[in-house]
Each structure stands twice: as C-alpha cells, then as structure tokens.
Amino acid sequence: MSISIQRCTSLPELFQAIEGIKPPIMYLAGGTDLMVLLKANLIPDSAWFDISDIPDIKGITVKDDMLVIGAATPFDEIYPDANVLKWAKALSEAASNVGGPQIRARGTIGGNIANGSPAADTLPALASLGAQVNLLSARGERSVPIEGYALGNRRTVREADEIISSVSIPIRAGIKGAWKALGARKALAISKISLAVSAVLEQGSFSYLRIGLGSVAATVRRAPQAEEVLLNGGWNRETLEEACRIIQTEISPIDDIRSTAEYRKAMSGVLLHDALISAFGEAPTR
Ligand SMILES: Cc1cc2nc3c(=O)[nH]c(=O)nc-3n(C[C@H](O)[C@H](O)[C@H](O)COP(=O)(O)OP(=O)(O)OC[C@H]3O[C@@H](n4cnc5c(N)ncnc54)[C@H](O)[C@@H]3O)c2cc1C
C-alpha cells in the first residue's frame, strides 16, 4: 500500500489540513506502532498527518501545580527529566522500560495512550498519578481522566478530528512511586501484567495513594480495595500483607496468549509488594 503523509508544523496548519477529511485519520508521531501495522497491512485506507514536529505538543513544563507533558514527547526525554523524576517517578520508570533504545528514542507518550491498548505501559503509571488526557481539535479543548479515556479494548472517547495535545499530572508534595511489570522476557515484550503505585506518606499514614494496573482488563484499572486498606491502615507489615492479598481478589483478568488469569492474579500481589517497597526504599519497620 502506498501512502502520502502531510507534515504539519503547527496546530492551525494541522486543523486546517484535517478539516472535512473522512476518518480514519492517522497521526504519525514516533511511528513505532504505525510502521509495524503498515508493514503487516493492518491499516485501513486513511489520511496520514505527521504531527512529530508541532512544537506546541512537545516538551515538559510545570504550570499551575501541574506537570504537563506534550503528547509528541518521546520516552527518551520523559524518563530522565528532573521534574518527571520528582513528581511522577512511576511514569519515569514506565517510560524507561518501554521497548528498546530505538523505540524510546522515537515512541511518544501520546502514541502510547492514543488507541486505548490495555497493555500500554505508561497507563498504569498515569492512573496512579491521577493524570488527565488533554484533547484538542479545531472545536476546542477538553480533558478526561486517564481512566475514562479508553472505553474498551482499543475504543476511546477521542473523536477522529481530535489529537491528544498533552497529559497533565497534579503535583503533590512528597510523592513517591514505582512501576513494575512482567513480560515473557526482560525487554521488547508486551507486558503480561504491569502495576504502578504513587503515594504520599506522612508520619506512617498515606495522604494519597493510587494503584494502576495494566493488562488485567480491557482498559487500565485501579485497585480501590487494596488502596483503601493502605489509606485506612497506613504503612505497616499487616496492611502491606492485606493489600497484597486483597488485590488478587479484586481483579478479574482473562486467560490470553500472553498469560493466564490465575498467574496475573497471583502476580498482582507480588508486583504491589515490590512496587511499594521500591517506592519507599524499604519494607515497613513495624
Ligand atoms: C519493537 C517494539 C517494542 C515495543 N515495546 C513497547 C513496550 O515495551 N511498552 C509499550 O507500552 N509499548 C511498546 N511498543 C509500542 C509503541 O512503541 C508505543 O505504544 C509508542 O508509545 C507508540 O508511540 P508512537 O509515537 O510511535 O505512535 P505512532 O506509531 O506514531 O502512532 C500510534 C497511534 O497513535 C495515534 N497517535 C499518535 N500520537 C497521537 C496524538 N498525539 N493524538 C492522537 N493520536 C495519536 C496514531 O494515529 C496511531 O494510531 C513497542 C513497539 C515496538 C515496535
């Protein structure tokens, strides 16, 4: 299949170019997903627009108590960024583990979120951080919580003429976090299960704690019962054990080609244990 790609270097140019275009529309960012699908002949006839050089959707800024990451920012720029390390450690860890060096150099956070894959590795981290996805079109801007962006496997609330412009992450003083995943091998494997935790611990009690899980449902999901155990009981051996037990009962993964439901359930407890200890640097002392 031969395709023609229109390169746009500004948002007005993009929105003018897509006006009246019949979907589907492909927005080429890093191309790491699109090129694989194109080669496998899995892309329907579509109009293609290269958005990788639009400055307004690139880069990382801190604005009004929010960490804002442009959708076309590659993983290589995200994971070592000082503000991401400070305010979104779980996301830094997820971004540093996506694919190999070539994928991280080209692949973007917007491309990772866009199609609502439940296995996209940044999603659990973004869910744990309470992130919003910012959508932009010629009609205006709107924001949706990351957990409300995907409606089901590869179905999302995004309209064809909307792009993801950025993600916004609330800044919370003292936040710590970690991201863990299991795949068939250490790199270049789709996760069987991924889990992220972000939390603020003050004198033994959590003032903020969220757990995000990937590859255990059709969309990214939280673990509200395990969160409640930790939020109510604080950081101690008993609540850690109880949260790691309860998370296994509150998720309902499926068997698929990558793993079994039983394995995913058991590993959710192991990953939660590892993520919490890695976030706080040590096991609880009492
Ligand atoms: C070898 C290999 C290893 C991989 N490993 C991992 C991994 O470990 N973890 C993981 O999560 N993923 C992995 N991926 C998948 C992929 O690299 C990521 O999902 C990446 O983030 C996609 O971003 P991109 O910029 O390359 O997207 P593109 O390929 O440019 O686009 C992907 C899709 O998103 C849409 N899109 C892109 N940007 C926007 C936007 N701003 N607004 C609206 N729509 C948009 C496009 O229309 C297209 O449908 C891997 C891929 C390969 C080929």
Side-chain angles (χ1 to χ4, degrees):
M1 180 166 93
S2 82
I3 52 158
S4 93
I5 304 174
Q6 182 171 341
R7 184 163 166 269
C8 298
T9 52
S10 72
L11 290 169
E13 186 188 355
L14 172 70
F15 294 138
Q16 195 178 14
I18 63 173
E19 197 186 341
I21 295 267
K22 197 167 148 265
I25 301 174
M26 297 299 144
Y27 298 105
L28 179 74
T32 59
D33 265 338
L34 278 177
M35 290 307 152
V36 173
L37 295 174
L38 184 69
K39 215 167 163 207
N41 258 328
L42 290 172
I43 299 191
D45 264 353
S46 8
W48 285 56
F49 298 91
D50 182 343
I51 60 167
S52 64
D53 270 331
I54 300 180
D56 286 353
I57 59 167
K58 292 176 85 158
I60 301 167
T61 48
V62 170
K63 216 167 33 191
D64 303 331
D65 292 335
M66 289 280 179
L67 175 65
V68 181
I69 304 177
T73 311
F75 299 114
D76 252 5
E77 285 176 32
I78 295 172
Y79 76 82
D81 181 87
N83 282 312
V84 177
L85 282 164
K86 185 168 182 187
W87 305 118
K89 185 74 190 318
L91 178 63
S92 168
E93 291 188 359
S96 72
N97 276 284
V98 171
Q102 298 91 338
I103 298 294
R104 290 193 290 273
R106 297 290 315 170
T108 65
I109 190 164
N112 201 234
I113 300 167
N115 291 330
S117 160
D121 276 330
T122 62
L123 297 186
L126 291 169
S128 77
L129 289 158
Q132 300 268 330
V133 181
N134 302 315
L135 299 169
L136 192 63
S137 70
R139 292 172 286 116
E141 188 170 18
R142 63 185 177 124
S143 298
V144 290
I146 187 79
E147 293 150 68
Y149 175 75
L151 297 169
N153 191 359
R154 298 192 174 267
R155 286 187 304 116
T156 76
V157 298
R158 187 172 59 81
E159 304 286 344
D161 66 342
E162 283 180 311
I163 60 159
I164 298 173
S165 54
S166 60
V167 290
S168 303
I169 296 168
I171 286 180
R172 294 185 170 88
I175 195 152
K176 308 254 188 249
W179 174 93
K180 302 281 169 195
L182 289 168
R185 48 187 183 180
K186 270 203 152 173
L188 293 173
I190 300 174
S191 299
K192 293 170 191 269
I193 174 171
S194 58
L195 180 147
V197 68
S198 296
V200 178
L201 183 62
E202 291 171 81
Q203 287 156 5
S205 297
F206 292 108
S207 56
Y208 175 90
L209 183 137
R210 285 190 191 182
I211 300 163
L213 285 146
S215 297
V216 298
T219 60
V220 67
R221 61 156 295 174
R222 299 255 304 279
Q225 292 174 31
E227 289 175 4
E228 206 178 299
V229 167
L230 291 157
L231 282 165
N232 291 339
W235 182 229
N236 55 66
R237 287 190 202 125
E238 198 183 319
T239 52
L240 176 60
E241 198 177 304
E242 175 62 2
C244 295
R245 186 193 65 76
I246 216 158
I247 195 171
Q248 300 175 51
T249 65
E250 71 171 313
I251 59 169
S252 312
I254 56 164
D255 291 341
D256 65 17
I257 49 161
R258 289 198 302 278
S259 190
T260 64
E262 198 187 350
Y263 179 79
R264 288 179 160 122
K265 273 173 176 274
M267 288 307 110
S268 66
V270 174
L271 293 187
L272 178 58
H273 182 272
D274 289 358
L276 280 164
I277 288 177
S278 150
F280 294 104
E282 57 179 7
T285 49
R286 60 192 173 92

